[in-house]
């Protein structure tokens, strides 16, 4: 496999939403023969505030206005910078959007093959003095479209409007691109009609009727090789009260999944691959979820059954840099068909706008889920059978059995990009993918051409068919169910590009960010609030009288590169590499190579640390805790450098490291600094410990420690 032949594909994740429920797709026609580059750019959420805005653009943003909730960067005096107020809840000024597209024009325009735009191109409804309306939302999205034409417009003068762009642009809906936000009713509706006009040149002609009906569509960004599916995630969103999941045939979510099933089967027949994109990601933990459960179940099942076709999925909305794994063993056909009501009501919905505390809980829950993943063996990428000795490696065999075989086909992967809107630092993501063997494929834009049709294969009705092609679960007893399951890959089908390195496999990405603290050139200190409206790094700062903007040069710089990352150690973006990464993140007692070196603590602002010591109390059945003061330092600190790096990158490096230690670290103990508090043996035997963990969290959680202290006092 040659990795030197790579392509540049621009995958701008901003806002989008379109896809037909038709059984036909148009071929694409090239405007110019231009070879692939092997890279693509992802842009998500900018929330501008202006009559014509995008990426959360804000037309009412004022330089050096207040960043407090009552000011919202619209009035008053405060630290709102020339290019935005980093680490706050303010939206993006036009200066940030314009500078971002200018940087793209000068640095990546000629390196990318297509653009994925994952939603939220209108400002938040965060100021009662400036309420949003339909006209403003529409004009802000039109403004964003105009920026794409400004950078990627085709200079050739012809009469065909579908030739106006040099590369394909694939948009998708954001929850703030509609009014009221989050509420998207069954189509056709006024929003699908409005955006059908706004995105007319992005949507293939044959799919416009389907887009008007449901707001979803697909584009063959590399004709006959790769299609991008723009999913309308608002029909899956748990906060959308206008719809009710994906189990009933009457629901638009059900119709969208039927369309996706037909299209993915079509691609399988044509030996093509697919990238799935959307705005709201399928976030799900043991306690909370972002999607309706029936939609998550169906999405996860579709990922499993079409794992030979799907290259990966890319999302926005949450503003934090992270990834998620969907576990195929969590698929429950009773839940999927809407029969198991208890399973559907087991999780709460995420808050509409996730606070710092909500994000902390979410990331910690992800880690707790990953803590149960099996420990990867040495020589992880070597096969089970040693070709030299002809013997099986039992440890590897056991590990691969737990993850769904040699390629980790028990899971699928979702990548969530941070946003341009400066809730932390503005971000862009440039992907690299493998184009071995297709280097000379021309880049295309959608054009009217001959229709291509296919015959739909009949779905399987038995749950047992879900195990088809998976040697680890193949022997399960077949059980008839009412729900029809899509046909999976045949046993002879090799793993898809999401699992095994091959053409179109995602090789890595470069995470870029703009350090607005430096660029705005106003302040240098750094603090982030925990709850509610985020006042940001400089909440109490006021500008000097008659102070004028004096920003430094605007630039996006490299935060990290997954292909050259000494901590993540992912040589490509296949699922198996992320299973390994997730398992390392989940370790509360990491291996030596993943231990975080001691970091000196500040001796000026830290409170005296409480050191805990224990004395045996056999008559009580546990050790009694005593506390005393001992110098200054951290009360909590992270010891797993992979976990610490993960949460640091989640906030795009904008949060203070001491704050991250206190928020995500483990409680420092006098007995074993950095380790969990000792557990009374009798509690383990009696099951009291597990009960506490189940009810209150893990032993690194404040709620749990309070509950533990209370139980011990009793």
């Amino acid at each position: 496999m040659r990795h030197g032949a790579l392509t540049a594909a621009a995958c701008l994740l901003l806002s989008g939403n379109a896809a037909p429920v038709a059984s036909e797709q148009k071929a694409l026609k090239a405007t110019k023969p231009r070879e692939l580059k092997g890279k693509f750019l992802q842009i998500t959420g900018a929330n501008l505030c202006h009559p014509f805005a995008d990426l959360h653009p804000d037309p009412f943003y004022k330089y050096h206005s207040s960043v407090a909730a009552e000011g919202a960067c619209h009035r008053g005096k405060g630290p709102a910078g020339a290019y935005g107020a980093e680490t706050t809840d303010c939206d993006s000024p036009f200066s940030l959007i314009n500078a971002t597209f200018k940087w793209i024009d000068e640095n990546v325009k000629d390196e990318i093959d297509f653009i994925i735009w994952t939603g939220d191109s209108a400002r938040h409804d965060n100021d009662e003095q400036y309420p949003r309306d339909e006209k403003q939302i529409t004009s802000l999205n039109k403004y964003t479209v105009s920026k794409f034409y400004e950078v990627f417009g085709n200079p050739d003068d012809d009469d065909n409007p579908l030739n106006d762009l040099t590369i394909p642009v694939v948009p998708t809906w954001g929850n703030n691109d509609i009014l009221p936000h989050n509420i998207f009713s069954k189509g056709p509706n006024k929003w699908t009609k409005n955006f059908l006009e706004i995105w007319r040149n992005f949507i293939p002609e044959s799919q416009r009727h389907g887009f008007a009906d449901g707001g979803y569509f697909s584009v063959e960004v590399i004709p006959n090789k790769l299609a991008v599916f723009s999913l309308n995630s608002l029909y899956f969103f748990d906060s959308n009260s206008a719809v009710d999941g994906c189990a009933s045939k009457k629901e638009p979510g059900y119709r969208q999944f039927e369309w996706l099933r037909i299209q993915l089967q079509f691609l399988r027949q044509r030996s093509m691959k697919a990238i799935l994109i959307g705005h709201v990601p399928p976030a799900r933990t043991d306690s909370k979820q972002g999607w309706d459960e029936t939609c998550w179940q169906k999405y996860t099942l579709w990922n499993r059954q079409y794992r030979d076709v799907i290259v990966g999925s890319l999302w926005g909305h949450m503003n934090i840099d992270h990834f998620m794994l969907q576990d195929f063993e969590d698929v429950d056909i009773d839940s999927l068909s809407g029969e198991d009501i208890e399973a559907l009501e087991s999780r709460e919905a995420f808050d509409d706008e996730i606070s710092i505390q909500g994000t902390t809980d979410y990331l910690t829950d992800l880690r707790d889920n990953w803590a149960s993943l099996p420990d990867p063996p040495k020589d992880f990428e070597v096969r089970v059978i040693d070709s030299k000795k002809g013997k099986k490696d039992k440890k590897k065999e056991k590990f691969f059995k737990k993850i769904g075989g040699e390629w980790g086909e028990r899971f699928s992967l979702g990548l969530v990009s941070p946003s341009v809107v400066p809730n932390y630092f503005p971000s862009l993501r440039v992907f690299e993918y493998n184009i071995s063997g297709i280097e000379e494929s021309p880049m295309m834009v959608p054009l009217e051409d001959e229709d291509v049709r296919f015959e739909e294969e009949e779905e399987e009705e038995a749950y047992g068919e879900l195990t088809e092609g998976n040697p680890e679960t193949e022997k399960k007893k077949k059980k008839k169910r009412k729900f029809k399951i899509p046909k999976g890959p045949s046993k002879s089908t090799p793993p898809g590009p999401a699992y095994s390195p091959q053409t179109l496999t995602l090789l890595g990405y470069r995470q870029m960010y703009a350090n607005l603290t430096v660029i705005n050139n106003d302040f240098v200190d750094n603090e982030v609030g925990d709850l509610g409206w985020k006042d940001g790094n400089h909440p109490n700062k006021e500008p000097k009288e008659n102070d004028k903007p004096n920003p430094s040069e605007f630039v996006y710089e490299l935060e990290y590169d997954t292909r050259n990352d000494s901590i993540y150690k992912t040589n490509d973006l296949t699922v198996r590499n992320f299973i390994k990464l997730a398992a390392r993140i989940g370790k509360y007692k990491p291996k030596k190579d993943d231990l975080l070196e001691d970091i000196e603590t500040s001796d000026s602002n830290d409170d005296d640390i409480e050191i805990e010591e224990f004395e045996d109390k056999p008559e009580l059945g546990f050790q009694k805790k005593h506390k005393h003061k001992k110098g200054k330092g951290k009360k909590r600190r992270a010891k797993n450098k992979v976990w610490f790096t993960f949460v640091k990158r989640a906030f795009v490096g904008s949060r203070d490291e001491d704050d991250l230690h206190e928020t995500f670290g483990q409680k420092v103990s006098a007995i074993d600094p950095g380790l969990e508090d000792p557990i009374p043996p009798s509690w383990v035997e009696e099951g009291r410990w597990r009960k506490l963990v189940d009810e209150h969290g893990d032993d690194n959680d404040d709620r749990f420690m309070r509950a533990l202290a209370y139980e011990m006092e009793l």
Side-chain angles (χ1 to χ4, degrees):
M1 181 66 65
R2 288 188 298 116
H3 292 292
L6 305 174
T7 60
C11 186
L12 265 91
L13 290 169
L14 293 171
S15 116
N17 138 15
V21 189
S23 59
E24 64 177 38
Q25 253 185 340
K26 286 226 170 145
L28 299 176
K29 187 175 181 181
T31 57
K32 282 185 177 181
R34 175 182 169 185
E35 293 184 358
L36 296 172
K37 306 294 184 179
K39 298 175 185 174
F40 65 91
L41 172 68
Q42 175 180 356
I43 299 180
T44 188
N47 293 78
L48 294 173
C49 176
H50 186 287
F52 301 94
D54 174 37
L55 303 168
H56 287 301
D58 188 346
F60 311 108
Y61 184 97
K62 290 185 178 180
Y63 172 66
H64 274 175
S65 59
S66 172
V67 297
E70 59 272 15
C73 291
H74 295 162
R75 56 192 163 271
K77 286 187 177 182
Y83 287 106
E86 73 275 20
T87 69
T88 74
D89 280 339
C90 293
D91 286 326
S92 306
F94 277 110
S95 57
L96 174 59
I97 304 305
N98 294 335
T100 294
F101 275 93
K102 183 175 184 292
W103 187 89
I104 292 170
D105 186 23
E106 295 173 350
N107 293 275
V108 299
K109 173 184 176 181
D110 297 327
E111 297 181 7
I112 56 179
D113 300 329
F114 57 93
I115 297 169
I116 295 174
W117 172 18
T118 55
D120 269 1
S121 300
R123 56 176 282 256
H124 289 100
D125 200 3
N126 56 12
D127 190 344
E128 293 181 354
Q129 294 189 31
Y130 298 109
R132 302 194 318 159
D133 57 33
E134 182 179 339
K135 182 179 179 181
Q136 183 186 102
I137 293 171
T138 300
S139 62
L140 287 175
N141 275 277
K142 286 181 177 179
Y143 174 81
T144 304
V145 170
S146 73
K147 298 304 293 184
F148 284 115
Y149 274 93
E150 184 180 304
V151 177
F152 298 100
N154 193 338
D156 288 354
D157 185 17
D158 62 45
D159 296 330
N160 193 328
L162 295 176
N163 284 347
D164 288 349
L165 291 168
T166 58
I167 58 176
V169 175
V170 188
T172 189
W173 299 96
N175 63 309
N176 287 289
D177 292 325
I178 54 177
L179 190 70
H181 80 295
N182 299 341
I183 309 303
F184 198 98
S185 60
K186 181 179 179 180
N189 58 48
K190 65 180 178 181
W191 293 108
T192 60
K193 293 176 182 177
N194 284 350
F195 277 81
L196 181 59
E197 187 61 36
I198 295 171
W199 294 339
R200 174 165 293 277
N201 292 346
F202 302 152
I203 304 169
E205 180 68 33
S206 64
Q207 300 192 52
R208 289 176 185 169
H209 175 77
F211 179 85
D213 186 58
Y216 43 87
F217 69 104
S218 67
V219 175
E220 289 188 27
V221 292
I222 307 177
N224 302 313
K225 303 294 181 183
L226 177 66
V228 172
F229 284 78
S230 174
L231 303 180
N232 184 356
S233 61
L234 302 185
Y235 282 148
F236 313 146
F237 195 19
D238 219 21
S239 296
N240 183 6
S241 59
V243 296
D244 188 18
C246 301
S248 171
K249 293 182 179 180
K250 298 179 181 179
E251 290 297 326
Y254 179 96
R255 291 169 59 85
Q256 182 171 186
F257 272 112
E258 283 302 288
W259 166 81
L260 181 61
R261 175 184 62 79
I262 292 170
Q263 300 299 325
L264 291 176
Q265 182 61 36
F266 183 27
L267 293 194
R268 178 183 281 161
Q269 292 179 4
R270 295 175 61 196
S271 299
M272 288 183 62
K273 305 303 177 185
I275 292 176
L276 308 183
I277 71 166
H279 182 65
V280 181
R284 182 178 184 265
T285 66
D286 289 341
S287 60
K288 292 196 173 185
Q289 61 190 18
W291 285 12
D292 178 273
E293 180 68 9
T294 59
C295 301
W296 186 92
Q297 290 280 339
K298 193 165 284 190
Y299 171 80
T300 303
L301 176 58
W302 264 229
N303 268 272
R304 189 205 184 284
Q305 297 304 88
Y306 295 105
R307 63 191 184 277
D308 57 321
V309 177
I310 298 172
V311 174
S313 62
L314 309 175
W315 309 91
H317 180 63
M318 299 184 77
N319 298 328
I320 53 172
D321 180 352
H322 69 294
F323 66 93
M324 53 189 67
L325 295 170
Q326 288 81 41
D327 188 346
F328 299 153
E329 291 191 359
D330 287 342
V331 173
D332 181 344
I333 299 301
D334 288 338
S335 295
L336 226 166
S337 58
E339 296 176 16
D340 188 350
I341 303 300
E342 184 178 344
L344 299 180
E345 299 176 347
S346 62
R347 293 174 178 83
E348 296 179 3
F350 285 109
D351 294 335
D352 182 23
E353 298 294 339
I354 302 178
S355 65
I356 288 286
Q357 184 59 53
T359 300
T360 298
D361 292 342
Y362 169 64
L363 294 175
T364 302
D365 285 346
L366 283 181
R367 187 191 191 192
D368 289 344
N369 290 345
W370 296 339
S372 62
L373 289 170
D375 194 22
K378 293 182 179 179
D379 300 325
F380 176 63
E381 291 160 14
V382 180
R383 295 183 174 230
V384 173
I385 298 178
D386 189 324
S387 58
K388 294 182 179 179
K389 299 179 180 179
K391 296 181 180 180
K392 284 189 175 182
D393 185 323
K394 292 184 178 180
K395 289 185 178 179
K396 288 180 187 174
E397 187 178 21
K398 184 178 180 180
F399 172 74
F400 288 142
K401 186 175 182 180
K402 289 182 178 179
I403 67 171
E406 185 177 348
W407 303 105
E409 292 181 280
R410 170 183 159 181
F411 300 92
S412 63
L413 171 68
L415 299 173
V416 183
S417 173
S419 58
V420 173
V421 65
N423 291 139
Y424 305 110
F425 284 137
S427 302
L428 300 173
R429 181 170 288 183
V430 181
F431 280 90
E432 193 169 5
Y433 65 97
N434 192 324
I435 56 166
S436 298
I438 62 171
E439 300 95 323
E440 297 181 0
S441 296
M443 292 174 54
M444 307 287 188
V445 293
L447 274 183
E448 206 54 49
D449 206 337
E450 72 275 5
D451 291 339
V452 184
R453 300 178 180 272
F454 78 105
E455 251 181 56
E456 180 185 346
E457 294 185 15
E458 191 174 342
E459 314 102 332
E460 303 292 340
E461 295 189 12
Y463 180 71
E465 294 299 333
L466 185 57
T467 66
E468 182 183 6
N470 186 346
E472 307 304 331
T473 56
E474 191 172 300
K475 297 180 181 179
K476 287 184 179 179
K477 185 178 179 181
K478 293 184 179 182
K479 190 175 181 180
K480 290 288 183 181
R481 298 284 185 183
K482 292 181 181 179
F483 180 77
K484 290 184 177 181
I485 297 172
K487 189 176 182 62
S490 67
K491 295 180 181 180
S492 60
T493 301
Y499 298 91
S500 170
Q502 58 192 268
T503 302
L504 296 177
T505 290
L506 300 180
L507 298 175
Y509 61 80
R510 287 181 292 135
Q511 186 60 48
M512 314 299 294
Y513 78 106
N515 188 331
L516 291 191
T517 303
V518 174
I519 295 171
N520 284 332
N521 197 26
D522 288 323
F523 311 105
V524 294
D525 56 331
N526 191 31
E527 292 179 10
V528 179
D530 286 336
L531 299 173
W533 175 274
K534 295 198 295 292
D535 290 341
N537 291 358
H538 329 288
N540 300 314
K541 299 282 186 175
E542 288 192 9
K544 299 176 182 178
E545 292 294 332
N546 301 318
D547 193 19
K548 295 182 179 180
N550 185 32
S552 303
E553 179 185 3
F554 186 92
V555 62
Y556 279 93
E557 56 189 295
L558 180 67
E559 182 187 7
Y560 66 95
D561 185 342
T562 62
R563 300 203 70 190
N564 184 26
D565 191 336
S566 61
I567 296 178
Y568 276 10
K569 301 176 181 178
T570 50
N571 57 347
D572 58 39
L573 303 185
T574 52
V575 170
R576 193 172 66 164
N577 274 325
F578 277 84
I579 295 173
K580 180 180 178 181
L581 175 59
R584 292 170 62 214
I585 289 172
K587 296 298 179 188
Y588 282 92
K589 295 181 180 178
K591 294 181 179 180
K592 185 177 180 180
D593 289 346
D594 287 343
L595 278 171
L596 185 65
E597 295 181 2
D598 288 339
I599 300 176
E600 292 184 7
T601 60
S602 169
D603 58 1
S604 57
N605 296 320
D606 291 340
D607 296 330
D608 289 348
I609 186 170
E610 286 186 339
I611 299 297
E612 298 170 351
E613 295 181 346
F614 295 80
E615 63 173 299
D616 291 329
K617 291 287 183 179
E619 68 276 13
L620 299 178
F622 58 81
Q623 296 172 309
K624 189 172 181 181
K625 183 186 300 184
H626 297 282
K627 297 182 179 180
H628 63 87
K629 303 286 186 178
K630 187 176 181 179
K632 296 180 180 289
K634 295 185 180 67
K635 296 178 182 179
R636 305 176 74 89
R637 75 176 306 276
K639 62 174 295 188
N640 182 334
K641 71 178 179 182
V642 190
W643 162 243
F644 188 74
T645 300
F646 176 70
V647 296
K648 182 178 180 180
R649 290 175 176 176
F651 301 103
V652 199
S654 65
R655 291 186 64 177
D656 179 73
E657 289 195 0
D658 285 344
D659 174 58
L660 289 176
H661 276 292
E662 290 298 319
T663 304
F664 295 101
Q666 298 167 226
K667 197 160 187 178
V668 176
S669 166
I671 294 178
D672 192 356
L675 294 179
E676 301 91 335
D677 291 315
I679 315 304
S682 60
W683 283 36
V684 177
E685 295 172 5
E686 296 169 8
R688 295 172 67 188
W689 180 260
R690 176 46 51 193
K691 183 179 179 182
L692 275 174
V693 171
D694 291 341
E695 290 180 354
H696 300 284
D698 65 67
D699 53 356
N700 295 281
D701 185 272
D702 285 332
R703 293 169 299 174
F704 177 83
M705 297 309 299
R706 288 195 295 270
L708 175 61
Y710 176 74
E711 290 287 333
M712 284 186 164
E713 286 299 321
L714 292 179

